[in-house]
Amino acid sequence: MAKFTVYSFVGSQWAGPMHLALAEKGFTDKDYDIKEIDLVAAENFEQEYLDINPNATIPSLTSPSLNKPLIESTDIVRYLDGLKEPRTLVPENAETKRRAQEILDLVHSSEVDTNMILLEARDPAELDEKKAGIWGLFLSNRQRKLDTEHAANPDHPFYGSKAQENGQVNQLYTTELGSAHESFFKNSHKRYEGFAAGTAKLEKLLVLPYAAGDAVTEADLHVVPWLAHAMMGAGTELSEIHNFEPLEKLIQKSAPEFKIGPRTREWWNNISETASFKKVFPNLH
């Protein structure tokens, strides 16, 4: 097996499935190299990394045995599953595979995008809190890097549109309150309601004891980082991996009846006892 390279960042939600897969399949540091791409410093927008991943997202995986880099967490997990037989993470049973895919599609959907919890605000007080924390720095660093790279590479297809996209949010963080903020607050409120509805869908989809059935599958490996990231974004103490209360209180501001359901709690208890979870998620991130 050729040694491969993974591109990661400790604060990246979707690097989580890759690291859980590495642990589940028993890979060691002799099998691969890790290159950290600092998202807070916007290193993912540097030309060198865009040559690997034109979406500037984390994770990525390169290998001499691949024709091109893998740049989606689902593809990376499936590749790692196939490197070490038997395949254990992608279900063979058709119904289990269908259910796992439903769960994957849900947690990767815009309906439950955790960036909402990290970056959006429903009122001036929430916005001030985010501006004073790491997320204001995160947005400003991204904007500075994008503007610099766009000026140096005006014809590059990535930088112009991405600078504009990030700039729309960054402007809300850096300008006086106005009508744009009122729209932002209302839309954020609706997005929180949507997040609550999406979490309720997950509650119904979970099979138990694990996400898609009796064994750990790729579905578990994607739900864990999604939920852990949401809990972290809600302000949960990073060591309190079973404390859903901060996340519940945050969402209840828009969806008063919201609770993490009993099936989701049971699943979390089960998956948190696995060796891969304990290795990758000793704390929330």
Side-chain angles (χ1 to χ4, degrees):
M1 180 179 66
K3 194 172 188 179
F4 54 91
T5 301
V6 297
Y7 297 79
S8 181
F9 178 60
V10 67
S12 166
Q13 171 177 300
W14 294 125
M18 174 180 71
H19 288 289
L20 287 167
L22 289 167
E24 278 287 328
K25 299 296 290 189
F27 290 98
T28 72
D29 56 9
K30 294 181 180 179
D31 299 316
Y32 61 93
D33 294 317
I34 297 181
K35 291 190 177 181
E36 284 286 313
I37 306 296
D38 190 336
L39 296 182
V40 177
E43 290 179 355
N44 54 313
F45 295 145
E46 293 177 1
Q47 183 66 60
E48 182 181 358
Y49 186 65
L50 281 180
D51 290 342
I52 295 167
N53 185 329
N55 297 328
T57 53
I58 297 291
S60 298
L61 183 151
T62 59
S63 171
S65 64
L66 290 169
N67 293 327
K68 60 181 182 179
L70 299 177
I71 60 174
E72 298 289 344
S73 60
T74 49
D75 293 334
I76 292 171
V77 168
R78 290 168 183 175
Y79 173 74
L80 294 173
D81 192 30
L83 278 183
K84 283 196 173 185
E85 296 292 344
R87 290 179 178 266
T88 55
L89 301 177
V90 179
E92 292 184 358
N93 176 271
E95 176 56 26
T96 305
K97 188 173 185 177
R98 184 193 65 78
R99 179 57 62 97
Q101 188 62 54
E102 276 191 276
I103 294 170
L104 283 172
D105 291 344
L106 175 61
V107 297
H108 281 276
S109 71
S110 60
E111 184 176 16
V112 296
D113 186 349
T114 57
N115 280 332
M116 173 206 68
I117 293 173
L118 306 182
L119 300 174
E120 296 188 20
R122 292 164 289 185
D123 54 45
E126 273 193 356
L127 182 58
D128 286 343
E129 184 178 353
K130 292 181 185 295
K131 286 163 64 174
I134 192 173
W135 305 116
L137 176 65
F138 173 75
L139 285 170
S140 64
N141 283 349
R142 283 165 62 92
Q143 195 64 42
R144 191 178 304 109
K145 173 70 79 171
L146 287 165
D147 289 341
T148 299
E149 294 292 348
H150 183 45
N153 305 278
D155 297 326
H156 195 287
F158 177 84
Y159 291 118
S161 59
K162 196 66 177 180
Q164 184 177 14
E165 175 190 317
N166 188 81
Q168 291 174 346
V169 182
N170 190 54
Q171 188 172 25
L172 292 166
Y173 274 61
T174 56
T175 58
E176 295 294 325
L177 293 177
S179 58
H181 291 86
E182 290 304 315
S183 296
F184 177 56
F185 297 151
K186 289 179 182 178
N187 289 335
S188 297
H189 174 72
K190 291 178 181 178
R191 296 253 291 146
Y192 269 93
E193 291 178 328
F195 190 95
T199 306
K201 290 179 185 177
L202 177 65
E203 172 77 4
K204 293 179 179 179
L205 284 173
L206 293 172
V207 176
L208 299 180
Y210 299 109
D214 293 333
V216 173
T217 68
E218 58 180 345
D220 299 276
L221 273 52
H222 285 79
V223 183
V224 166
W226 167 78
L227 185 51
H229 209 60
M231 293 167 70
M232 179 274 296
T236 311
E237 287 291 332
L238 300 185
S239 62
E240 296 181 358
I241 61 171
H242 292 286
N243 183 10
F244 295 111
E245 187 175 351
L247 178 61
E248 290 176 332
K249 285 185 175 180
L250 184 71
I251 297 175
Q252 284 166 0
K253 183 175 175 180
S254 294
E257 302 301 316
F258 176 79
K259 286 282 189 181
I260 296 295
R263 296 180 67 81
T264 304
R265 288 172 178 268
E266 182 178 346
W267 164 78
W268 186 257
N269 286 337
N270 294 336
I271 195 67
S272 67
E273 288 300 314
T274 62
S276 59
F277 184 105
K278 291 178 179 180
K279 180 178 181 179
V280 180
F281 284 91
N283 295 295
L284 300 171
H285 51 82

